[in-house]
Amino acid sequence: MAAVEHDLHPEQWAALVEAWGGCAYCGATGVPLQRDCVLPISRGGRYTLENIAPACASCNASKCNDEVTGWLRRKRLDERTFLERHARIQADLRALTPP
């Protein structure tokens, strides 16, 4: 982690949590959420607004460093819904956050 440059600000994390309203993957609410790298750090990802999704502990641990679409398919979660919502939330938040 220390060797990778990260630029996710606390305000951005709060906006992501609010926009998703629960776990980005399974939809769980009322549980603590963790920062999950959609593209894992081990595969070149970073803690950035575009690459972080709020995840419950179960989904975060299960996904580990897997590629997100393959993991969603294996877990029989709705890949298309996640990807479309991820893109929409990212676009909305980018519009509100200066570069």
Side-chain angles (χ1 to χ4, degrees), residues 24-87:
Y25 303 120
C26 73
T29 59
V31 297
L33 297 172
Q34 303 172 352
R35 292 163 178 84
D36 180 62
C37 289
V38 176
L39 176 65
I41 291 171
S42 64
R43 295 175 184 250
R46 299 182 308 130
Y47 275 41
T48 63
L49 178 63
E50 293 79 18
N51 193 46
I52 293 292
C56 67
S58 177
C59 284
N60 197 11
S62 173
K63 182 177 163 284
C64 192
N65 68 344
D66 286 347
E67 188 274 327
V68 70
T69 56
W71 175 79
L72 287 165
R73 283 184 219 130
R74 282 192 305 281
K75 294 293 283 184
R76 299 182 191 269
L77 295 169
D78 192 338
E79 173 187 0
R80 182 180 180 143
T81 297
F82 168 77
L83 293 173
E84 287 174 349
R85 189 159 182 219
H86 179 67

